[in-house]
């Protein structure tokens, strides 16, 4: 979160042992390139949503080792005193490129690239992955849930089930960028501007002599934001009738029709349909029905298919923990180094598992859009200095099945990665959370509906340029 706590020591210990080794072998100043990318979309979806860049920026700007940190490292043994003195003056002096928060991203393509001296580039790995993996995971899950609601507001209700305070607050932030209407987490509103709101707990109703008195009192206290929880005792026999009575006696005489009831248990389809009829018959057609209780995108989709009369949703544990798939799986891999003359030397990681073979070199990524529809149809990964004439027809091929080739014309290309840091200085104008949220909605809208399916989505192609593919093949042959 954006606070004064120093997260410099939140790293895997081997980042420090490697840094010490680089320092003692003279490799500490070697310029390296690392890519952040992921291999599989959570929940078998068609795309993910990038989030967490703001926190990475904050971390980079605050990087420093205190004397207490250095004393701790000295007590561990094995660290060269020269290296500890280097850490005393440590700061990030490299370059970072990244996609803006809220951008749809796909497997295999870098959504952040770091260029920095070896010790610096290696050291930031843990925290960068921690932040990007967590917030991208929650943003991706939230966007799925928001799309399932088909335009109905979704509020994030998950703080009490999140894995820790930062997960609650940053998860609420990511969910808002990805399309949620707000959060129950007050601190997320205060720190990041994700609008906080809430209704009441069952304990409020239980604190009063009877349900009607609880509802009436709440309406008197909060006449312009009265949402009554109607399932403490019996939804249809008690809760809804008492809510109607409170609305009629307290709100309607004041000309207030903006009110709601909340269902938090039972058969939400059946109860919402019955409640809707009761509210309409009582002259409260504008009264909204809110539903909560262990919801996710699949349950919301089914409720709406079954004709549930629900106007908005509160989603908790299955959103804030991404319960169905709680790991994003982003990785941080070396892709190139510079020699003493500044020439870039591509590097590759080879694995028995073909999916774990990396794409080498310092790269850039283009998103390609059809001019006729405006929709994105593929991403193209190129070598950083490669010049492609996008005004001419472009042949793309599947990197895993090169015989699958297709030529495209009448399209527009947009580079995805933008400069964030240059020589350690922030050069990126950070957008507001509202701008990130709007960007996300607009960029998701540029994807075909087939890519947005929950099950068996269309495979959105991420292709390599011919030049990059040739470089990769030569490295594979050399290392084979």
């Amino acid at each position: 979160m954006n606070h004064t706590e120093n997260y410099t020591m939140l790293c895997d210990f081997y980042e420090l042992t490697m840094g010490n080794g680089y320092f003692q072998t003279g490799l500490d100043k070697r310029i390296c390139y690392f890519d952040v990318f992921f291999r599989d979309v959570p929940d078998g979806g068609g795309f993910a949503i990038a989030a967490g860049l703001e926190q990475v920026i904050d971390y980079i700007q605050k990087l420093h080792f205190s004397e207490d940190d250095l004393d701790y490292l000295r007590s561990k043994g094995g660290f060269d005193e020269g290296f500890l003195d280097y850490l005393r003056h440590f700061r990030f002096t490299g370059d970072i490129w990244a996609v803006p928060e809220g951008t749809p991203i796909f497997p295999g393509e870098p959504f952040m690239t770091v260029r920095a001296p070896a010790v610096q580039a290696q050291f930031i790995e843990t925290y960068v992955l921690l932040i990007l993996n967590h917030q991208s995971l929650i943003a991706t899950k939230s966007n799925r849930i928001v799309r399932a609601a088909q335009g109905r507001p979704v509020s994030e209700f998950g703080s009490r089930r999140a894995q820790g305070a930062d997960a609650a607050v940053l998860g609420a932030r990511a969910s808002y960028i990805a399309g949620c209407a707000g959060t129950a987490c007050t601190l997320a509103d205060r720190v990041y501007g994700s609008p906080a709101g809430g209704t009441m707990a069952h304990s409020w109703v239980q604190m009063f002599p009877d349900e009607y008195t609880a509802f009436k009192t709440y309406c008197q206290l909060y006449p312009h934001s009265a949402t009554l929880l109607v399932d403490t005792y019996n939804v249809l026999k008690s809760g809804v009738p008492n809510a109607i009575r409170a609305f009629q006696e307290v709100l309607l005489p004041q000309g207030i029709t903006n009110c709601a009831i909340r269902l938090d248990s039972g058969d939400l389809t059946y109860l919402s349909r019955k409640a809707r009829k009761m509210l309409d018959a009582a002259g409260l057609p504008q009264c909204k029905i809110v539903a909560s209780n262990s919801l996710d995108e699949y349950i919301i989709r089914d409720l709406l298919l079954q004709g549930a009369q629900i106007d908005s949703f509160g989603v908790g544990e299955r959103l804030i923990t991404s319960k169905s798939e709680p790991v994003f799986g982003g990785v941080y891999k070396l892709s190139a180094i510079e020699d003493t003359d500044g020439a870039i030397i591509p590097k590759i990681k080879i694995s028995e598992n073909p999916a774990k073979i990396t794409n080498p070199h310092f790269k850039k990524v283009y998103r390609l859009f059809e001019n006729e529809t405006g929709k994105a149809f593929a991403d193209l990964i190129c070598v950083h200095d490669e010049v492609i004439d996008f005004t001419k027809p472009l042949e793309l091929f599947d990197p895993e099945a090169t015989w699958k080739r297709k030529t495209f014309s009448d399209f527009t290309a947009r580079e995805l990665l933008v400069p964030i840091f240059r020589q350690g200085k922030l050069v990126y104008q950070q957008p507001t959370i509202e701008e990130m949220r709007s960007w996300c909605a607009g960029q998701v809208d540029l994807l075909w509906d087939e890519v947005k399916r929950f099950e068996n989505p269309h495979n959105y192609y991420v292709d390599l340029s011919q030049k990059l593919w040739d470089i990769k093949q030569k490295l594979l042959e050399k290392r084979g």
Side-chain angles (χ1 to χ4, degrees):
M1 292 187 290
N2 264 332
H3 47 44
T4 58
E5 187 167 356
N6 178 13
Y7 281 126
T8 299
M9 293 291 279
L10 204 171
C11 66
D12 289 301
F13 195 72
Y14 74 5
E15 313 292 9
L16 290 159
T17 58
M18 284 190 289
N20 183 63
Y22 292 147
F23 184 85
Q24 293 194 66
T25 55
L27 293 174
D28 54 302
K29 295 181 177 62
R30 173 66 61 85
I31 299 297
C32 302
Y33 295 79
F34 282 84
D35 290 334
V36 179
F37 62 95
F38 69 104
R39 297 188 178 102
D40 298 295
V41 180
D43 293 309
F47 64 98
I49 299 291
L53 176 59
E54 181 179 329
Q55 284 64 51
V56 171
I57 290 171
D58 186 59
Y59 163 75
I60 293 293
Q61 291 183 312
K62 293 177 179 176
L63 271 177
H64 71 279
F65 288 86
S66 69
E67 289 300 320
D68 286 344
D69 294 335
L70 300 180
D71 288 343
Y72 161 77
L73 294 176
R74 189 175 290 110
S75 73
K76 296 291 288 184
F79 289 105
D80 180 78
E81 279 297 325
F83 177 65
L84 295 179
D85 187 61
Y86 165 82
L87 294 184
R88 181 174 286 110
H89 306 287
F90 184 91
R91 70 180 185 90
F92 184 80
T93 62
D95 307 323
I96 295 179
W97 297 262
V99 302
E101 291 194 73
T103 301
I105 51 177
F106 298 90
E109 63 186 17
F111 61 99
M112 178 176 285
T113 294
V114 176
R115 175 192 178 273
V119 176
Q120 298 177 30
Q122 191 76 66
F123 180 76
I124 67 174
E125 173 184 8
T126 304
Y127 194 83
V128 165
L129 286 179
L130 181 160
I131 286 295
L132 297 181
N133 275 333
H134 172 242
Q135 289 201 57
S136 298
L137 176 72
I138 304 306
T140 301
K141 186 66 170 180
S142 299
N143 190 260
R144 287 170 63 87
I145 292 170
V146 167
R147 286 185 283 119
Q150 299 177 28
R152 297 164 180 82
V154 174
S155 293
E156 182 277 311
F157 277 8
S159 292
R160 62 192 63 189
R161 302 288 171 81
Q163 283 103 343
D166 277 11
V169 178
L170 294 176
R173 174 189 184 275
S175 74
Y176 188 63
I177 291 171
C180 284
T183 177
C185 181
T186 309
L187 188 57
D189 190 353
R190 179 181 172 185
V191 177
Y192 296 116
S194 175
T199 57
M200 62 172 64
H202 295 103
S203 57
W204 172 271
V205 179
Q206 294 170 293
M207 286 288 288
F208 290 83
D210 56 72
E211 191 174 47
Y212 167 71
T213 304
F215 289 168
K216 179 181 179 181
T217 303
Y218 197 87
C219 288
Q220 291 170 334
L221 292 171
Y222 307 105
H224 296 286
S225 58
T227 298
L228 306 180
L229 183 58
V230 296
D231 71 334
T232 304
Y233 303 119
N234 186 294
V235 172
L236 300 179
K237 292 181 179 180
S238 170
V240 176
N242 280 323
I244 289 172
R245 181 183 171 192
F247 292 148
Q248 289 176 331
E249 295 182 2
V250 179
L251 301 186
L252 293 186
Q254 301 179 60
I256 299 172
T257 59
N258 179 31
C259 56
I261 63 169
R262 179 161 71 96
L263 303 170
D264 191 49
S265 61
D267 186 330
L268 297 178
T269 297
Y270 172 78
L271 293 174
S272 66
R273 293 171 68 174
K274 288 289 186 180
R276 181 76 270 158
K277 289 181 180 180
M278 295 169 69
L279 292 166
D280 290 349
L284 292 162
Q286 292 177 294
C287 181
K288 304 295 185 183
I289 298 176
V290 183
S292 53
N293 186 32
S294 297
L295 301 176
D296 63 15
E297 65 269 41
Y298 297 107
I299 294 174
I300 290 173
R301 181 183 64 180
D302 288 348
L303 288 171
L304 297 180
L305 286 172
Q306 294 162 10
Q309 297 296 300
I310 298 171
D311 299 292
S312 64
F313 298 92
V315 186
E317 64 188 49
R318 299 189 184 189
L319 183 158
I320 204 66
T321 65
S322 187
K323 183 179 179 181
S324 56
E325 189 157 345
V327 177
F328 189 69
V331 295
Y332 187 89
K333 298 298 181 183
L334 181 70
S335 60
I337 61 173
E338 291 183 12
D339 65 17
T340 54
D341 296 323
I344 300 175
I345 304 169
K347 295 289 183 176
I348 191 169
K349 175 187 177 294
I350 300 177
S351 171
E352 292 289 332
N353 180 352
K356 290 194 172 185
I357 298 175
T358 61
N359 291 320
H361 224 304
F362 176 31
K363 302 176 288 293
K364 55 187 174 183
V365 185
Y366 289 99
R367 182 151 295 164
L368 310 180
F369 301 87
E370 295 179 350
N371 287 335
E372 181 179 355
T373 64
K375 298 291 187 181
F377 64 88
D379 287 0
L380 181 65
I381 307 177
C382 309
V383 180
H384 71 103
D385 59 355
E386 191 171 354
V387 177
I388 299 177
D389 187 352
F390 289 114
T391 65
K392 297 180 179 179
L394 177 68
E395 183 182 64
L396 299 180
F397 61 92
D398 185 339
E400 297 180 3
T402 56
W403 53 270
K404 293 183 179 179
R405 293 175 176 263
K406 187 174 181 179
T407 300
F408 295 88
S409 57
D410 193 26
F411 64 90
T412 299
R414 189 187 79 222
E415 197 166 345
L416 292 187
L417 295 161
V418 298
I420 309 299
F421 285 93
R422 288 197 186 280
Q423 297 181 342
K425 294 182 179 180
L426 181 65
V427 295
Y428 179 64
Q429 181 63 47
Q430 296 188 66
T432 66
I433 196 167
E434 296 295 342
E435 289 170 335
M436 289 183 252
R437 174 182 165 84
S438 177
W439 170 262
C440 181
Q443 295 305 300
V444 171
D445 191 53
L446 294 177
L447 301 177
W448 287 101
D449 288 343
E450 292 83 349
V451 177
K452 294 185 275 189
R453 285 196 298 256
F454 292 155
E455 287 100 2
N456 300 314
H458 170 75
N459 181 29
Y460 182 95
Y461 283 103
V462 176
D463 297 325
L464 306 184
S465 69
Q466 186 68 55
K467 180 178 180 179
L468 180 56
W469 191 87
D470 290 342
I471 291 170
K472 183 175 183 178
Q473 296 312 302
K474 288 181 180 178
L475 289 174
L476 288 172
E477 292 168 4
K478 181 180 179 182
R479 300 295 181 185

